[in-house]
Amino acid sequence: MSGESTTRTAPRIAGTGTARAGGGRLAERLSGVAMALGLVLFLGGFAWGAVVYRPYTVPTSSMAPTIDAGDRVLAQRVDGTEVRRGDVVVFRDKSWVTNANVVKRVVAVGGDTVSCCTDGKLTVNGKKIDEPYLPAGSPAEIKKIPTITVPKGRLFLLGDERQGSLDSTAHLTDAAQGTVARGAVSARVDSVVWPMNGMLERPTGFKALGALSQPGPLRTIELMIVGGAVLVLGGGVYGSIAKRLGRKRNRPGPAGAR
């Protein structure tokens, strides 16, 4: 027998390479779908938020402790007809301030009778209102309000920091007795975003007088943005890992020698 040396390669299992290639393609497709869906959610959330909400910086402490001076808020664009008792709204009224937005809480709407105080509490339509949003140890009776009937289509507004707030009580001698037209309202504050104090609670003290407003879609928008970012990042990482694993699996093994 000659000293001939023969080389044999390991037998290839039928279909293995195809299956691995198919698995790699599937991983790339899943990665692409996740990233595309994530991008749609991420950009869609920002676009929806830009349409529905407007940012404002509150310059004074008249709404403390709910909103402090310098706080950044997001306010949902609403029509004045959507405003309910207890809402914190953004409005403009040239008889209050010229060319500037004002942020106050609605305590009475058209047709309501409002006064202060009975047993130290604000009274609307004869009902004493619990106001947990007032500063600790600050009674509502800091401000005396004579009995006023709010005209139809108008609002009576107070600051949560009653002692220093220039609100409806500072305009009681005006022709409208301190009230503001619903049409002057441009937005309803939903959340304090800086510092991150979160969503404003709807005050249940007004619930017996009628339905409260519902929060806007801010939580849904936040979920869309966060979920979209997770899908984009997760899809990218998954696709990168799948490609590396695919390259390792498809490398030919060393030839056997005899």
Side-chain angles (χ1 to χ4, degrees):
M1 179 178 291
S2 65
E4 181 182 1
S5 175
T6 61
T7 301
R8 296 181 181 179
T9 59
R12 179 184 290 263
I13 300 174
T16 301
T18 304
R20 286 175 177 171
R25 284 195 295 270
L26 177 60
E28 289 181 16
R29 288 174 183 171
L30 289 175
S31 172
V33 169
M35 292 180 70
L37 178 59
L39 194 60
V40 169
L41 288 173
F42 186 79
L43 296 179
F46 273 109
W48 188 10
V51 171
V52 176
Y53 286 95
R54 292 185 65 183
Y56 295 93
T57 299
V58 179
T60 71
S61 59
S62 66
M63 283 299 296
T66 306
I67 306 170
D68 245 321
D71 283 2
R72 191 80 166 166
V73 303
L74 281 181
Q76 182 185 3
R77 300 170 194 256
V78 297
D79 186 87
T81 58
E82 301 175 57
V83 174
R84 302 288 183 267
R85 301 176 191 89
D87 288 347
V88 176
V89 298
V90 181
F91 67 94
R92 283 197 177 201
D93 189 313
K94 62 181 181 180
S95 67
W96 287 43
V97 182
T98 303
N99 296 325
N101 292 306
V102 182
V103 178
K104 302 294 178 189
R105 187 183 297 274
V106 176
V107 297
V109 299
D112 286 347
T113 298
V114 58
S115 64
C116 191
C117 294
T118 302
D119 297 331
K121 291 187 177 182
L122 180 74
T123 302
V124 181
N125 297 341
K127 177 177 175 55
K128 291 179 286 187
I129 306 298
D130 289 324
E131 299 184 276
Y133 44 77
L134 296 180
S138 173
E141 62 187 2
I142 284 176
K143 286 194 172 179
K144 302 292 185 181
I145 304 172
T147 300
I148 293 172
T149 298
V150 182
K152 293 291 184 182
R154 300 188 72 85
L155 306 167
F156 195 88
L157 307 104
L158 297 175
D160 288 357
E161 206 293 284
R162 299 283 159 85
Q163 189 167 12
S165 175
L166 296 176
D167 47 36
S168 286
T169 59
H171 300 272
L172 293 178
T173 57
D174 295 354
Q177 290 186 291
T179 63
V180 172
R182 281 185 177 270
V185 174
S186 59
R188 177 173 54 218
V189 178
D190 239 9
S191 176
V192 178
V193 294
W194 186 260
M196 297 178 66
N197 293 343
M199 302 285 286
L200 297 192
E201 295 184 5
R202 266 43 179 183
T204 56
F206 294 95
K207 196 170 184 180
L209 300 174
L212 303 179
S213 65
Q214 296 300 312
L218 185 58
R219 291 194 187 281
T220 302
I221 291 171
E222 289 174 344
L223 287 174
M224 286 177 64
I225 293 173
V226 173
V230 169
L231 282 173
V232 170
L233 293 174
V237 171
Y238 173 71
S240 177
I241 292 174
K243 284 181 180 178
R244 289 182 182 180
L245 292 176
R247 284 196 295 267
K248 287 181 179 180
R249 289 173 181 169
N250 291 327
R251 286 176 186 167
R258 280 189 176 180

